[in-house]
């Protein structure tokens, strides 16, 4: 089929890899929404990341539809999946969210679709041809840079707390792999708008992996220490409870083997 042809085979290879890895990233919140469905409550979770992801996927879908290259089909497939998955997440959130959170999400969706329709209409009537592609491309770049900069707050938290508890290892890894594959896809396709923001994605991804390497062992040590403290506390409690019974308690320390940190689970 013509839609799968590419002048450079590396474009096809990295495009397909990018699709696979990005879909894995899209599916990362599934356990969160299984928990929401099971408890029938959104608890403290927010809808903003899913609304922003939906907006980003919609814009990249529009950008890809303007491209003449056959390889842009790979941008269409991944962002179509992204739109579908994020829509399901938002629908589930609206189903179980309390009234205030639901109204906030609906307002965000209104802004989302209003902004998308404005961009679509303005680009359609004010530009044409390559100028339209460039305008939409720069808008996508600006949004992608904002999305890639979002983990800065988490990175700051990791540095301040010296703990990677709130920065899951496998999510950080797949985000890095996704940025690398789409960067290479953009480079081989010679598409600045795809490659550009993913440079920032790779930088932040490498930084997150470096923080995991620095603080992961410390987390293990802290967890082991907490475990030992718990054992000591339990021993003390056991001795107190047995004082009136003339019992001698022998407890063997079981501090063998690594303790999994939250980022490993």
């Amino acid at each position: 089929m013509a839609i799968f042809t590419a002048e450079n085979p590396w474009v096809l290879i990295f495009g397909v890899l990018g699709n696979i890895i990005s879909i894995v990233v899209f599916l990362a919140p599934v356990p969160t929404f299984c928990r929401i469905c099971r408890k029938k409550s959104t608890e403290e979770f927010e809808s903003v990341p899913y609304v922003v992801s939906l907006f980003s996927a919609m814009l990249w879908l529009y950008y890809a539809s303007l491209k003449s290259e056959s390889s842009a089909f790979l941008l269409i497939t991944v962002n179509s999946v992204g739109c579908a998955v994020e829509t399901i997440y938002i629908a589930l959130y609206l189903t179980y969210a309390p009234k205030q959170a639901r109204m906030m999400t609906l307002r965000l969706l209104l802004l989302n679709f209003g902004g998308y329709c404005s961009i679509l209409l303005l680009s359609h009537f004010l530009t044409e041809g390559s100028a339209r592609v460039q305008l939409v491309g720069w808008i996508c770049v600006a949004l992608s840079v904002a999305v890639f900069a979002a983990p800065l707050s988490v990175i700051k938290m990791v540095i301040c707390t010296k703990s990677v508890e709130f920065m899951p290892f496998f999510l950080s890894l797949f985000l890095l792999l996704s940025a690398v594959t789409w960067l290479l896809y953009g480079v081989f396709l010679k598409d600045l708008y795809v490659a550009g923001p993913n440079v920032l994605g790779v930088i932040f991804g490498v930084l997150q992996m470096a923080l995991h390497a620095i603080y992961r062992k410390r987390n293990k040590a802290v967890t082991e220490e907490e475990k030992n403290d718990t054992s000591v506390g339990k021993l003390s409690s056991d001795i107190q409870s047995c004082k009136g019974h003339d019992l001698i308690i022998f407890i063997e320390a079981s501090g063998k083997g690594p303790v999994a940190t939250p980022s490993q689970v």
Side-chain angles (χ1 to χ4, degrees), residues 199-228:
V199 173
L200 193 61
V202 171
I203 293 171
F204 284 135
V206 170
L207 178 57
Q208 289 183 58
M209 297 309 294
L211 290 174
H212 270 285
I214 294 169
Y215 295 121
R216 198 173 179 185
K217 288 184 179 179
R218 185 183 182 280
N219 278 15
K220 288 183 180 181
V222 170
T223 305
E224 187 67 31
E225 193 175 307
E226 289 175 352
K227 181 181 175 183
N228 291 337

Side-chain angles (χ1 to χ4, degrees), residues 161-177:
T161 62
K162 294 180 171 53
S163 170
V164 292
E165 179 180 358
F166 300 104
M167 193 171 69
F169 174 78
F170 287 108
L171 180 58
S172 299
L173 176 62
F174 275 98
L175 286 172
L176 173 60
L177 292 176

Side-chain angles (χ1 to χ4, degrees), residues 141 145 148 182-183 186 191-201:
V141 168
V145 168
F148 279 129
W182 286 114
L183 170 61
D191 190 324
L192 171 67
Y193 308 110
V194 175
N198 282 291
V199 173
L200 193 61

Side-chain angles (χ1 to χ4, degrees), residues 59-171:
L59 278 180
W60 279 110
L61 194 56
Y62 178 44
Y63 170 77
S65 69
L66 297 175
K67 298 281 289 181
S68 58
E69 291 91 342
S70 59
S71 298
F73 176 76
L74 294 169
L75 286 175
I76 293 175
T77 55
V78 69
N79 286 292
S80 296
V81 172
C83 284
V85 171
E86 300 300 336
T87 300
I88 292 171
Y89 290 156
I90 293 169
L92 289 172
Y93 188 91
L94 290 172
T95 301
Y96 296 110
K99 184 177 180 180
Q100 186 176 359
R102 187 182 300 119
M103 294 306 297
M104 175 62 73
T105 302
L106 289 173
R107 283 195 288 268
L108 288 173
L109 284 174
L110 187 61
L111 286 172
N112 188 335
F113 288 106
Y116 177 77
C117 290
S118 298
I119 292 170
L120 193 149
L121 291 173
L122 288 173
S123 64
H124 182 76
F125 289 109
L126 298 181
T127 59
E128 59 181 20
S130 61
R132 184 181 300 162
V133 175
Q134 291 174 6
L135 174 63
V136 177
W138 281 116
I139 294 172
C140 289
V141 168
L143 182 60
S144 295
V145 168
V147 170
F148 279 129
L152 282 174
S153 59
V154 179
I155 290 172
K156 181 182 178 182
M157 183 188 297
V158 169
I159 294 173
C160 291
T161 62
K162 294 180 171 53
S163 170
V164 292
E165 179 180 358
F166 300 104
M167 193 171 69
F169 174 78
F170 287 108
L171 180 58

